[in-house]
Amino acid sequence: MKNFLFKLYLDFIKLILRWTPTNENLYVILNGSGRSGSNGYIFYKYLKSSHPEIEAVLVEPWPSSHLSWQTWKKIAAAKYIFTTHQPFKIKRKQICTDFWHGIPLKRMGFMAANDSYQNDLHNMKIWQSKADRVVSSSALYDTLMSACVGIEGKKYVKTGFPRIDALYKPVISKKQLLQSLFKVNDEIGKIGIYMPTFRFELNDKKIMNKIEEGNFFAFSDFDGEEFNKELQRLHHYLIIKLHPYEMKLFKATEQQYSNIIFLENNYLEKNNLDLYELLGSTDYLMTDFSSIYFDYLHLNKPIIFITNYLEKYEKIRGLLITPYQNVVPGTVVTNQSELLDQITSLNPRDFESKRNYWLKLSYTVSSQDNCKRNFDTLN
């Protein structure tokens, strides 16, 4: 019902504002990615710093029914619109560039086992009618995205993703990150980050109950105190970045650890940061099926893959590239004991050739100056 009412609201807005005069100098970024690897936010910061001659407007959160009338007028007047999720524009003459928000490993749209054909068909029509340019990094990306949402090949532009620029130029050093988040000065400290995908869609109350109880890995052998003690011994510090929904569940029983911090969006927003602007200062990544691992390949640092519910995920939603163990460029673990063993013996050289192989396959454009390339190719 809410979706239906929001659609009516959007239709009403479009009808009223469709005759708004176009401002050739106005660029509007519709950011639906928050601050967790947002192409939109990183591109907005680039526009503000490198192109003062144009007007750049950031709209977040998006989509929203709580935007001011002035904001809607800006959206309607913009010559250029940039989106991080589904494409959007009010007038035909507007140019919509879709950045999307990750190289997909998980099935979605037509390829997903848990989606409806009618919904997928509707979304495909939106992509066909609203997206003028779809930012891409490789032929592999084109193939994966087109399989899922039916994008025409001619819409892709090989300009690379703005968020990759932030990986190569972190605005916070590792020393500063340790001081800011952990309040320590550890010259030999290593920083890991754990970013799982959205696990609610597994529709498993047992997993959600574990997270709610403070078991952020949803391991069967989870012991937070033991895990923290081992991190202390190794001089390792772990940043946990959960999906906002999971973070709300977890907050009620959140424990305080010396070497584990739970990073929320309010920290990033308060410091005018995107997660990717500090990600380059970490030493290793832990994830499951999140597309962040494709981006992390640019750093050529270790990745640990946590797969305690891999079989269930493959059944409910599915993966685009399999078998999983042969695809991912890193060690696969299923419980806390295995994870601690891997952290203890972490070696940056392990899986290096496999990381480089997948980077070259998934990113065939230059890794540098993605923001500039996106701006320069608009006209």
Side-chain angles (χ1 to χ4, degrees):
M1 185 63 177
K2 287 183 179 179
N3 289 338
F4 175 72
L5 291 176
F6 185 66
K7 182 181 180 302
L8 288 179
Y9 169 73
L10 284 182
D11 289 342
F12 175 73
I13 292 288
K14 291 176 184 177
L15 181 63
I16 291 201
L17 293 176
R18 62 188 301 180
W19 305 114
T20 303
T22 300
N23 182 345
E24 302 282 334
N25 215 34
L26 180 56
Y27 294 62
V28 168
I29 294 90
L30 305 178
N31 181 29
S33 297
R35 299 294 171 82
S36 297
S38 170
N39 283 310
Y41 183 65
I42 295 297
F43 188 64
Y44 167 74
K45 292 183 78 171
Y46 163 79
L47 292 179
K48 295 296 283 187
S49 63
S50 300
H51 291 280
E53 76 281 4
I54 62 104
E55 181 183 0
V57 175
L58 178 70
V59 178
E60 57 178 8
W62 174 265
S64 173
S65 59
H66 302 290
L67 301 180
S68 69
W69 185 243
Q70 285 301 116
T71 299
W72 277 117
K73 287 171 68 176
K74 289 287 187 183
I75 296 172
K79 171 69 178 292
Y80 301 101
I81 292 181
F82 305 85
T83 60
T84 59
H85 286 67
Q86 198 175 68
F88 179 87
K89 60 183 177 180
I90 290 177
K91 303 175 303 188
R92 229 177 246 183
K93 64 172 64 176
Q94 292 178 306
I95 298 173
C96 177
T97 298
D98 198 292
F99 287 132
W100 200 238
H101 50 277
I103 299 174
L105 176 65
K106 301 175 292 185
R107 288 178 176 243
M108 59 182 180
F110 289 110
M111 297 297 289
N114 60 347
D115 213 342
S116 73
Y117 176 75
Q118 289 303 320
N119 183 59
D120 297 336
L121 195 61
H122 173 72
N123 287 333
M124 182 183 71
K125 291 177 180 177
I126 292 176
W127 279 93
Q128 297 297 351
S129 62
K130 303 298 183 185
D132 298 292
R133 305 165 74 251
V134 180
V135 169
S136 173
S137 63
S138 63
L140 174 65
Y141 180 80
D142 300 354
T143 302
L144 297 176
M145 287 293 290
S146 290
C148 292
V149 293
I151 302 170
E152 290 180 272
K154 66 183 181 182
K155 290 184 180 289
Y156 292 105
V157 288
K158 297 292 193 302
T159 48
F161 306 118
R163 65 179 179 267
I164 301 302
D165 288 347
L167 285 181
Y168 286 98
K169 298 176 181 178
V171 299
I172 298 179
S173 68
K174 184 161 77 171
K175 181 178 181 179
Q176 290 171 327
L177 200 54
L178 285 171
Q179 290 173 338
S180 176
L181 295 180
F182 299 95
K183 314 302 180 189
V184 298
N185 185 15
D186 190 338
E187 295 297 328
I188 62 171
K190 300 285 186 184
I191 302 177
I193 184 166
Y194 173 52
M195 284 192 67
T197 193
F198 185 36
R199 293 171 285 189
F200 179 76
E201 66 179 334
L202 291 172
N203 197 26
D204 191 325
K205 288 185 178 180
K206 292 180 181 179
I207 292 175
M208 290 298 105
N209 288 341
K210 287 178 180 179
I211 295 170
E212 190 170 6
E213 292 165 1
N215 180 354
F216 43 86
F217 289 122
F219 282 151
S220 58
D221 63 341
F222 179 76
D223 185 327
E225 292 298 330
E226 178 192 352
F227 190 74
N228 186 67
K229 286 179 182 177
E230 189 64 13
L231 292 176
Q232 280 183 308
R233 183 183 71 82
L234 296 168
H235 290 265
H236 279 225
Y237 301 85
L238 184 61
I239 300 170
I240 308 288
K241 186 70 173 71
L242 301 179
H243 186 278
Y245 176 84
E246 293 185 4
M247 199 63 219
K248 286 180 183 178
L249 286 179
F250 183 71
K251 263 189 150 181
T253 53
E254 184 177 333
Q255 292 178 277
Q256 297 297 317
Y257 298 107
S258 62
N259 289 51
I260 303 172
I261 192 76
F262 301 90
L263 186 64
E264 296 191 67
N265 278 338
N266 58 10
Y267 171 87
L268 298 168
E269 291 169 0
K270 180 181 177 181
N271 292 283
N272 297 315
L273 292 172
D274 182 88
L275 175 68
Y276 275 44
E277 293 182 287
L278 55 84
L279 196 58
S281 292
T282 62
D283 294 286
Y284 59 96
L285 168 71
M286 296 188 294
T287 188
D288 43 23
F289 323 111
S290 171
S291 63
I292 189 176
Y293 95 81
F294 278 110
D295 293 344
Y296 205 79
L297 295 174
H298 287 267
L299 300 176
N300 193 24
K301 294 178 180 180
I303 308 172
I304 300 173
F305 294 89
I306 297 173
T307 61
N308 47 323
Y309 37 89
L310 172 61
E311 186 176 337
K312 188 175 185 67
Y313 201 93
E314 287 184 312
K315 181 179 180 181
I316 290 178
R317 181 162 175 176
L319 302 176
L320 289 168
I321 311 174
T322 59
Y324 179 85
Q325 290 86 346
N326 293 347
V327 172
V328 295
T331 304
V332 173
V333 302
T334 60
N335 55 52
Q336 179 167 307
S337 177
E338 293 175 353
L339 178 58
L340 285 174
D341 286 344
Q342 290 304 317
I343 292 175
T344 302
S345 59
L346 205 61
N347 185 343
R349 299 300 299 275
D350 291 344
F351 293 94
E352 186 173 21
S353 60
K354 196 171 184 180
R355 290 197 300 267
N356 287 330
Y357 169 81
W358 279 102
L359 176 60
K360 291 176 181 178
L361 194 63
S362 62
Y363 220 89
T364 57
V365 299
S366 171
S367 297
Q368 305 289 336
D369 298 320
N370 295 276
C371 286
K372 183 179 185 303
R373 195 158 49 244
N374 271 282
F375 181 83
D376 290 346
T377 55
L378 282 172
N379 296 301

